[in-house]
Amino acid sequence: MGNCLRGYVAGRRGAVLPLVLGILLAVTLLLTSLLQMPGGVRRGALRQLQKQQRIYDAESALIANLSGLPADFFERPPWNRALPKVDRGRLGPWAVLSAPMSSANSGGADKRIRILAGVPCDSACSLLNSYERRREIYEGFRQELIREISMAKPPLALKVKSGNRRFLGRMQPMSLWVQEGDLTLNLDGMTSSGRFRVDGSAEVRGNVNFDTLRVYARGPITLRGNVRARWLEAFSEDRIEISQGLEFSGVVVARREVLFPNGARKVRRRYPSFAMSLESGNLGLDSMLIPAFISGQLQPFEWSLK
């Protein structure tokens, strides 16, 4: 197994070298062609080329990092090319890798190429067969979600209320901790963000679009109706029920079980989507990215320029 894994990693490294070197070669060829241009046109084209080169360098650094190459790999002969440093962090359950569009010595505050990534797995993957691995994901997601809800900045600073809470119709963005009670959301329209921590149960229904919906409940969570969430993070210390009509991209984790009463295929899950229960393991979904709370080769699913 270890030899196979080393061979796989070596294969990825071998495959990525032509890609990165091809990107760097393209910049060199463009620079050579600039020498044939008139002076004024050359200067404008050179500025554009330098900007493009910084993008290529940042992308190359990220590709090399994802493939497991050492940080200084391209600084060695015969390439002698210093790529920008790659930083790793987290956005919710996903890993964030970013590289600046500048050299280490430029001192500028350039934009960064950023990617979101997870650990790839399919329905035949054995990663989730291990209770310890599922426990890592469960605990990692639980702690991260509590932090995301509690650390929200104004105007979403966390408010604490006691007793049952019910919201109808349209809702302004909010971050709320319901202590010693249940939460019911029966909403219409659109809202940019909802972050909820509930000591009891939580139910979300209605005809509503969320840009971001984060729900942490000690009791059951029910998601039903015409609810759409571009970014969903749901965690229950009990169970989660997802009914027909829900559309989401994100992560759903429960202790006991994740239920699809109408069948998992009746729920519109956009990539990447991940659902897992600690006690019952893999739900047998077609394909997924595992949140980056366990070690493994990262696979990006979103590239952006920030």
Side-chain angles (χ1 to χ4, degrees), residues 2-224:
N3 291 333
C4 292
L5 180 58
R6 286 191 291 271
Y8 171 74
V9 173
R12 285 184 60 92
R13 292 181 179 182
V16 80
L17 281 175
L19 175 61
V20 175
L21 292 176
I23 293 174
L24 299 178
L25 177 60
V27 175
T28 301
L29 294 175
L30 285 173
L31 182 60
T32 302
S33 66
L34 284 178
L35 298 177
Q36 312 301 322
M37 295 182 177
V41 177
R42 185 189 307 168
R43 286 190 293 272
L46 182 59
R47 286 193 296 270
Q48 184 62 34
L49 176 61
Q50 289 171 340
K51 178 180 177 181
Q52 195 68 39
Q53 181 173 340
R54 290 195 294 269
I55 295 176
Y56 287 159
D57 285 350
E59 290 176 340
S60 298
L62 288 167
I63 293 171
N65 184 281
L66 284 170
S67 301
L69 294 174
D72 62 346
F73 185 86
F74 287 98
E75 295 180 18
R76 307 169 186 172
W79 301 284
N80 300 315
R81 179 79 176 181
L83 297 179
K85 177 185 176 182
V86 174
D87 294 324
R88 290 201 178 202
R90 185 177 299 284
L91 180 61
W94 306 113
V96 178
L97 283 71
S98 66
M101 289 172 46
S102 63
S103 65
N105 300 321
S106 67
D110 285 306
K111 293 183 178 180
R112 304 179 70 91
I113 304 291
R114 188 188 76 166
I115 62 176
L116 300 182
V119 179
C121 182
D122 58 28
S123 58
C125 180
S126 62
L127 286 175
L128 297 182
N129 292 338
S130 166
Y131 178 83
E132 292 305 319
R133 286 294 184 96
R134 297 200 304 272
R135 186 76 186 183
E136 286 183 59
I137 298 170
Y138 180 89
E139 287 297 334
F141 185 47
R142 183 182 70 83
Q143 295 173 17
E144 184 70 18
L145 186 54
I146 289 177
R147 188 190 69 82
E148 286 285 346
I149 295 173
S150 303
M151 301 290 288
K153 298 179 181 179
L156 290 177
L158 184 66
K159 297 180 180 178
V160 180
K161 302 290 183 179
S162 297
N164 295 338
R165 295 288 153 172
R166 183 182 182 90
F167 295 88
L168 304 174
R170 295 185 179 272
M171 186 191 76
Q172 295 297 317
M174 69 167 61
S175 184
L176 177 66
W177 184 356
V178 178
Q179 296 183 340
E180 300 178 357
D182 302 327
L183 172 69
T184 301
L185 303 177
N186 190 353
L187 304 177
D188 297 310
M190 299 182 65
T191 185
S192 61
S193 181
R195 303 169 184 237
F196 304 96
R197 181 175 178 179
V198 188
D199 285 356
S201 64
E203 180 178 1
V204 182
R205 66 177 187 265
N207 184 11
V208 58
N209 287 338
F210 287 95
D211 179 74
T212 302
L213 175 61
R214 292 183 170 98
V215 183
Y216 179 107
R218 299 189 65 183
I221 295 176
T222 303
L223 304 170
R224 61 189 179 93

